[in-house]
Amino acid sequence: MVYDMRMITILGSTGSIGQSSLKVISQLSDELTVFGISCHKNTLLFYKQIKQYHPKFAVITDRISYNNFVKEYGQKINDTEIIYGDDGLSVIISDSNVNSVIAAIVGFECINPVIEAIKSHKIILIANKEILVSAGNAIISLLKKTRAQLIPIDSEHNALLQIILSSGLDYKINDQDYYQQNIKKLTITASGGPFIDLDVKDFKNITVHDAVKHPTWNMGTKISIDSATMMNKGLEIIEAKILFNIDLSNIQAIIHRESKIHALVEFFDGSIISHMSNPNMMIPISYALTFPRRTFLDNIQDYDYTSFSFEEVPIDKFPCYKLARYAAETAKNSGLILNAANEISVEYFLENKISFLDIPNIIEYILETSEFVNHNDFQSLIDNDNEIRISTKNYIKHKYL
Ligand code: NDP
Ligand code: MG
């Protein structure tokens, strides 16, 4: 398989993944160009990106930020047209010149852009895990009706993909029969986040400042909090299930503090193959952009093999991980409920309105009190997500504020 992916759109170019994606594209500028980029509020960085990468279109999704930006710079900066909102996103996603869309907007907000990219038959590099957790099955059903492809760039899932392809297997997204026949076990690793060694009795003193400091990865704020609670690993278990679809009991996470091994696949002959790299998102992004070729040049000289350790996830310390596993097993819309309650709880934690320990308690309450149902269409998923957000906010107001 060789892809000719010349024109790239990056949704969320001002984020951590978005910035890494732009760096990759500039290193591979012989074959990749930026067609469209989007930001929400960070127009300072966005302006610099427009000047540096000269996209054809630049979309600002926050109304006030867009108005202020256009007032200051006008509707065009050199050859780049500045456009607004959902209609703007539509332009940079569905334009026939675009081959590939990088989905790096954080949270469930990324659902409509990804639906549009699928309907437009694009190759989608998916960083966003929240929509796979909330709407994975609906996304897969839609995908199967189109020529679109979904390539994971979340490091562990990209590592799983690399192992699977290197082992001579195919990437058949969500194909239960195929993966169940060929793969015994999938393991993804977790650094353990900033609190792996903290005594549980000190968790009550955790501040936002402590929680956003990740020991090995440099990421956006929301995913950094998810890593600190280990919700991130729970979401990633569900993500792995959606992509590679083997029995949940055979999908596990282990603590690997060094973040050098990202995933391991166990086969029925007893072989286990793992993927190692430095913790640098440019590696999975570049692989996904040009796979199966490896075109990116990592400038790190030495790879430190000396200190590899593995430990079980201390689940009693990290109830968010447990809740995510529970949601994975419950299926139906439980991933959606888990994700919406988590997004709202993280938002309130970041605003210093609730404590670190409140996050799992709130999610657990919302999971316990919400109805588990199946959704047949995206609109009912989107409506349900909205309802869960409202009930989570009401619960927080009632109980904590
Ligand atoms: P960031 O917070 O760094 O960036 C988020 C991006 O989304 C920014 O460009 C932001 O714009 C934009 N955005 C925020 N809110 C909205 C909105 N309402 N509408 C449209 N755009 C919006 O996140 P990350 O880059 O860390 O993560 C992005 C996604 O990738 C997440 O889903 C995360 O789980 C996933 N991921 C991230 C990894 C990482 O290493 N960072 C690793 C694996 C997965 P602005 O800043 O301009 O307001
Ligand atoms: Mg990850």
Side-chain angles (χ1 to χ4, degrees):
M1 257 182 305
V2 175
Y3 294 112
D4 178 27
M5 294 199 295
R6 308 221 65 86
M7 294 284 207
I8 316 290
T9 275
I10 304 173
L11 306 173
S13 66
T14 44
S16 154
I17 292 287
Q19 293 177 59
S20 296
S21 302
L22 283 169
K23 280 190 207 149
V24 169
I25 293 170
S26 47
Q27 205 191 89
L28 302 177
S29 60
D30 284 353
E31 48 185 311
L32 307 174
T33 50
V34 183
F35 179 85
I37 56 177
S38 88
C39 88
H40 195 52
K41 290 186 175 170
N42 188 355
T43 49
L44 211 64
L45 174 61
F46 202 52
Y47 178 74
K48 289 186 193 149
Q49 293 181 338
I50 293 168
K51 296 290 267 185
Q52 187 175 349
Y53 296 96
H54 314 290
K56 195 163 164 41
F57 294 101
V59 181
I60 303 173
T61 45
D62 178 63
R63 158 82 61 196
I64 295 171
S65 305
Y66 170 78
N67 288 342
N68 291 340
F69 192 85
V70 167
K71 212 181 274 171
E72 190 163 351
Y73 302 109
Q75 217 80 57
K76 235 176 165 190
I77 299 173
N78 299 326
D79 288 334
T80 304
E81 247 181 82
I82 316 301
I83 50 180
Y84 168 69
D86 292 344
D87 291 346
L89 289 179
S90 229
V91 170
I92 63 170
I93 292 166
S94 63
D95 191 288
S96 61
N97 290 302
V98 173
N99 306 85
S100 195
V101 175
I102 300 181
I105 288 173
V106 62
F108 190 72
E109 196 63 37
C110 203
I111 188 79
N112 283 321
V114 167
I115 295 172
E116 175 128 25
I118 298 174
K119 287 183 176 166
S120 311
H121 310 283
K122 304 301 181 192
I123 296 167
I124 302 150
L125 275 67
I126 185 137
N128 181 298
K129 62 196 83 182
E130 293 91 344
I131 62 168
L132 290 178
V133 167
S134 308
N137 288 326
I139 288 172
I140 297 293
S141 312
L142 179 63
L143 201 65
K144 286 182 176 159
K145 294 182 195 139
T146 70
R147 296 187 308 282
Q149 290 191 59
L150 207 61
I151 318 286
I153 55 176
D154 198 349
S155 55
E156 299 77 4
H157 305 75
N158 188 269
L160 290 171
L161 176 65
Q162 294 200 33
I163 298 167
I164 285 168
L165 292 177
S166 310
S167 307
L169 296 178
D170 293 325
Y171 179 39
K172 299 188 181 197
I173 193 166
N174 192 258
D175 190 331
Q176 188 165 27
D177 290 345
Y178 182 70
Y179 288 124
Q180 201 71 357
Q181 248 172 44
N182 287 293
I183 290 173
K184 189 172 171 191
K185 199 175 208 176
L186 298 174
T187 302
I188 56 174
T189 64
S191 69
F195 308 128
I196 186 77
D197 291 323
L198 190 71
D199 200 305
V200 179
K201 69 176 186 335
D202 296 323
F203 271 41
K204 62 179 185 309
N205 302 321
I206 290 172
T207 64
V208 170
H209 180 74
D210 302 329
V212 292
K213 272 190 284 177
H214 196 274
T216 51
W217 292 95
N218 185 7
M219 308 180 288
T221 331
K222 190 264 176 182
I223 187 175
S224 296
I225 303 301
D226 286 348
S227 298
T229 60
M230 285 204 67
M231 176 58 90
N232 184 49
K233 217 40 61 181
L235 299 179
E236 289 184 352
I237 295 280
I238 305 176
E239 185 183 5
K241 169 78 183 156
I242 293 294
L243 295 171
F244 303 109
N245 209 358
I246 66 168
D247 282 350
L248 261 175
S249 56
N250 294 323
I251 305 179
Q252 65 162 12
I254 44 168
I255 302 286
H256 166 59
R257 292 169 186 246
E258 298 79 17
S259 296
K260 292 281 171 64
I261 293 182
H262 305 293
L264 304 97
V265 177
E266 186 174 339
F267 298 93
F268 287 104
D269 68 353
S271 304
I272 300 174
I273 302 185
S274 71
H275 172 273
M276 301 187 224
S277 74
N278 283 309
N280 174 358
M281 288 307 294
M282 289 167 76
I283 298 169
I285 294 167
S286 60
Y287 179 74
L289 278 168
T290 61
F291 92 101
R293 291 177 302 134
R294 297 178 186 276
T295 44
F296 177 69
L297 292 176
D298 191 356
N299 57 10
I300 292 167
Q301 301 295 319
D302 294 316
Y303 188 86
D304 179 10
Y305 291 97
T306 51
S307 55
F308 282 177
S309 62
F310 297 102
E311 300 152 57
E312 277 193 23
V313 177
I315 50 174
D316 292 331
K317 209 166 174 178
F318 295 103
C320 282
Y321 178 73
K322 224 194 261 181
L323 290 168
R325 283 218 75 114
Y326 164 75
E329 274 145 27
T330 312
K332 293 190 174 173
N333 62 339
S334 55
L336 179 146
I337 298 167
L338 174 92
N339 179 69
N342 181 55
E343 282 193 33
I344 296 298
S345 303
V346 171
E347 190 183 307
Y348 277 71
F349 172 68
L350 287 169
E351 291 168 4
N352 287 306
K353 291 179 176 157
I354 58 167
S355 77
F356 189 80
L357 283 175
D358 295 333
I359 298 174
N361 292 336
I362 293 163
I363 299 166
E364 186 172 12
Y365 176 85
I366 298 297
L367 272 169
E368 267 170 9
T369 53
S370 303
E371 200 188 343
F372 294 136
V373 290
N374 278 313
H375 292 291
N376 298 320
D377 60 276
F378 281 110
Q379 195 50 54
S380 61
L381 279 160
I382 291 167
D383 293 344
N384 194 192
D385 170 80
N386 206 24
E387 281 160 24
I388 302 295
R389 280 163 201 270
I390 292 169
S391 55
T392 310
K393 284 181 187 171
N394 286 340
Y395 178 62
I396 294 175
K397 271 182 203 138
H398 172 74
K399 172 115 202 231
Y400 298 93
L401 306 183

